[in-house]
Amino acid sequence: AQSVTQLGSHVSVSEGALVLLRCNYSSSVPPYLFWYVQYPNQGLQLLLKYTSAATLVKGINGFEAEFKKSETSFHLTKPSAHMSDAAEYFCAVSDGKSGNTGKLIFGQGTTLQVKP
Amino acid sequence: EAGVAQSPRYKIIEKRQSVAFWCNPISGHATLYWYQQILGQGPKLLIQFQNNGVVDDSQLPKDRFSAERLKGVDSTLKIQPAKLEDSAVYLCASSPGTGELGRPSNTQYFGPGTRLTVL
């Protein structure tokens, strides 16, 4: 069975500081991994996804994530936080079967607070 | 390209009443999902459709929840009767099946959700 663990339900950084949101996954098959962002009263927006190509994945709004199989991790980073980055972030895993459009298994979410 | 549409955005009902949510996926997307997001948690899949057929409804409480996707496009999710623990945001998502260069794509695109409050 697949699962996702997001370490830290709340992360607070100062504007301009490094953002690091942690995600560890468990999967018996090569996974597809995703990071989504959710702003208040809105749906989820895809930030980036890993689909077994390059291990360093670049997404929107300056975010990137690195797939580390040995550590079963897919941490999300951004070099310099902006006030507009304050939101809820979800890591998700899907099984990597070719052509499959299976369900996403989400982590509990991490709330990012950006202080001026 | 229009995104996933959902209505209503907000709904307040009393327990034991019934409620229905509507979703219109992105045009051409064959796969449609309904997720339940309880406050403070990540979304959890309730049901997945491929065209108008059910692929996965293992987590759907079938004694009170039902969903259909007639003609393989729009979908409705119904709760009857509602319980207090059904208070949540109900998210609809769709996926194209194939993406760039015809490769399989399992990227899911989410609608804004319907926030249900059961009193």
Side-chain angles (χ1 to χ4, degrees), chain A:
Chain A
Q2 296 175 306
S3 65
V4 171
T5 301
Q6 291 184 240
L7 301 176
S9 58
H10 289 83
V11 170
S12 181
V13 300
S14 298
E15 190 174 20
L18 171 71
V19 175
L20 171 60
L21 304 182
R22 301 178 185 273
C23 172
N24 288 90
Y25 71 91
S26 172
S27 179
S28 58
V29 297
Y32 286 174
L33 293 161
F34 304 80
W35 275 100
Y36 282 86
V37 61
Q38 187 176 34
Y39 298 100
N41 299 316
Q42 295 187 27
L44 280 72
Q45 180 183 5
L46 180 68
L47 278 177
L48 49 81
K49 66 177 181 180
Y50 167 76
T51 57
S52 75
T55 56
L56 182 62
V57 182
K58 295 187 183 297
I60 62 172
N61 301 339
F63 284 93
E64 64 182 34
E66 185 173 9
F67 173 70
K68 292 187 176 180
K69 184 178 180 180
S70 61
E71 299 177 9
T72 61
S73 69
F74 190 58
H75 301 331
L76 182 71
T77 60
K78 182 174 180 177
S80 177
H82 191 273
M83 296 297 292
S84 61
D85 294 327
E88 186 88 10
Y89 291 80
F90 292 95
C91 181
V93 64
S94 178
D95 69 55
K97 297 175 185 176
S98 177
N100 180 61
T101 52
K103 65 183 178 184
L104 293 173
I105 306 296
F106 285 89
Q108 293 287 86
T110 298
T111 301
L112 176 64
Q113 179 186 23
V114 182
K115 298 178 290 186

Side-chain angles (χ1 to χ4, degrees), chain B residues 45-79:
Chain B
L45 181 75
L46 290 174
I47 189 168
Q48 175 187 346
F49 291 94
Q50 181 77 16
N51 296 311
N52 60 353
V54 176
V55 174
D56 183 350
D57 64 355
S58 58
Q59 299 302 306
L60 187 73
K62 298 180 186 63
D63 58 333
R64 298 184 300 106
F65 286 65
S66 64
E68 60 182 8
R69 191 183 184 197
L70 298 177
K71 302 180 181 179
V73 182
D74 294 5
S75 177
T76 56
L77 176 69
K78 297 179 181 178
I79 307 175

Side-chain angles (χ1 to χ4, degrees), chain B residues 12-33:
Chain B
I12 301 174
I13 62 173
E14 296 191 349
K15 60 183 180 184
R16 291 187 288 275
Q17 286 187 321
S18 62
V19 65
F21 313 127
W22 172 81
C23 172
N24 180 238
I26 294 173
S27 178
H29 281 196
T31 310
L32 185 147
Y33 313 79

